[in-house]
CSV table of all heavy atoms in Angstrom, one decimal:
chain,number,residue,atom,x,y,z
A,227,GLY,N,-56.9,9.4,-82.3
A,227,GLY,CA,-55.9,9.1,-81.4
A,227,GLY,C,-55.5,10.3,-80.6
A,227,GLY,O,-56.0,11.4,-80.9
A,228,THR,N,-54.7,10.1,-79.6
A,228,THR,CA,-54.4,11.3,-78.7
A,228,THR,C,-52.8,11.5,-78.7
A,228,THR,O,-52.1,10.5,-78.8
A,228,THR,CB,-54.9,11.1,-77.3
A,228,THR,OG1,-54.4,9.8,-76.8
A,228,THR,CG2,-56.4,11.1,-77.3
A,229,PRO,N,-52.4,12.7,-78.4
A,229,PRO,CA,-53.3,13.9,-78.3
A,229,PRO,C,-53.6,14.5,-79.7
A,229,PRO,O,-53.0,14.2,-80.7
A,229,PRO,CB,-52.4,14.9,-77.6
A,229,PRO,CG,-51.0,14.5,-78.0
A,229,PRO,CD,-51.0,13.0,-78.2
A,230,GLY,N,-54.7,15.2,-79.7
A,230,GLY,CA,-55.1,16.0,-80.9
A,230,GLY,C,-55.4,17.4,-80.6
A,230,GLY,O,-55.9,17.7,-79.5
A,231,PHE,N,-54.9,18.3,-81.4
A,231,PHE,CA,-55.0,19.8,-81.1
A,231,PHE,C,-55.6,20.5,-82.2
A,231,PHE,O,-55.4,20.3,-83.4
A,231,PHE,CB,-53.6,20.3,-80.9
A,231,PHE,CG,-52.8,19.6,-79.8
A,231,PHE,CD1,-52.0,18.5,-80.2
A,231,PHE,CD2,-52.8,20.0,-78.5
A,231,PHE,CE1,-51.2,17.9,-79.2
A,231,PHE,CE2,-52.1,19.4,-77.5
A,231,PHE,CZ,-51.3,18.3,-77.9
A,232,PHE,N,-56.4,21.5,-81.9
A,232,PHE,CA,-57.0,22.4,-82.8
A,232,PHE,C,-56.6,23.9,-82.5
A,232,PHE,O,-56.9,24.3,-81.4
A,232,PHE,CB,-58.5,22.3,-82.8
A,232,PHE,CG,-59.0,21.0,-83.3
A,232,PHE,CD1,-59.1,19.9,-82.4
A,232,PHE,CD2,-59.3,20.7,-84.6
A,232,PHE,CE1,-59.6,18.6,-82.8
A,232,PHE,CE2,-59.7,19.4,-85.0
A,232,PHE,CZ,-59.8,18.4,-84.1
A,233,ILE,N,-55.8,24.5,-83.3
A,233,ILE,CA,-55.3,25.8,-83.1
A,233,ILE,C,-56.1,26.8,-84.0
A,233,ILE,O,-55.8,26.8,-85.2
A,233,ILE,CB,-53.8,25.9,-83.4
A,233,ILE,CG1,-53.1,24.9,-82.5
A,233,ILE,CG2,-53.3,27.3,-83.1
A,233,ILE,CD1,-51.6,24.8,-82.8
A,234,ASN,N,-57.1,27.5,-83.4
A,234,ASN,CA,-58.0,28.2,-84.2
A,234,ASN,C,-58.6,27.4,-85.3
A,234,ASN,O,-58.8,27.8,-86.4
A,234,ASN,CB,-57.4,29.5,-84.8
A,234,ASN,CG,-57.4,30.6,-83.8
A,234,ASN,OD1,-57.8,30.5,-82.6
A,234,ASN,ND2,-57.0,31.8,-84.2
A,235,GLY,N,-58.8,26.1,-85.0
A,235,GLY,CA,-59.4,25.2,-85.9
A,235,GLY,C,-58.4,24.3,-86.7
A,235,GLY,O,-58.8,23.4,-87.4
A,236,TRP,N,-57.2,24.7,-86.8
A,236,TRP,CA,-56.2,24.0,-87.5
A,236,TRP,C,-55.8,22.7,-86.7
A,236,TRP,O,-55.3,22.8,-85.6
A,236,TRP,CB,-54.9,24.8,-87.7
A,236,TRP,CG,-55.1,25.9,-88.8
A,236,TRP,CD1,-55.4,27.2,-88.6
A,236,TRP,CD2,-55.2,25.7,-90.2
A,236,TRP,NE1,-55.5,27.9,-89.8
A,236,TRP,CE2,-55.4,27.0,-90.8
A,236,TRP,CE3,-55.0,24.6,-91.0
A,236,TRP,CZ2,-55.5,27.2,-92.2
A,236,TRP,CZ3,-55.0,24.8,-92.4
A,236,TRP,CH2,-55.3,26.1,-93.0
A,237,PHE,N,-56.1,21.6,-87.3
A,237,PHE,CA,-55.9,20.3,-86.6
A,237,PHE,C,-54.5,19.7,-86.8
A,237,PHE,O,-54.1,19.5,-88.0
A,237,PHE,CB,-57.0,19.3,-87.2
A,237,PHE,CG,-57.0,18.0,-86.5
A,237,PHE,CD1,-56.6,17.7,-85.3
A,237,PHE,CD2,-57.6,16.9,-87.3
A,237,PHE,CE1,-56.6,16.5,-84.7
A,237,PHE,CE2,-57.7,15.6,-86.7
A,237,PHE,CZ,-57.2,15.4,-85.4
A,238,ILE,N,-53.8,19.5,-85.7
A,238,ILE,CA,-52.6,18.7,-85.8
A,238,ILE,C,-52.7,17.5,-84.9
A,238,ILE,O,-53.2,17.6,-83.8
A,238,ILE,CB,-51.4,19.6,-85.4
A,238,ILE,CG1,-51.5,20.2,-84.0
A,238,ILE,CG2,-51.1,20.7,-86.4
A,238,ILE,CD1,-50.3,20.9,-83.6
Side-chain angles (χ1 to χ4, degrees):
T228 53
F231 304 90
F232 296 87
I233 302 175
N234 276 6
W236 288 100
F237 183 23
I238 56 175

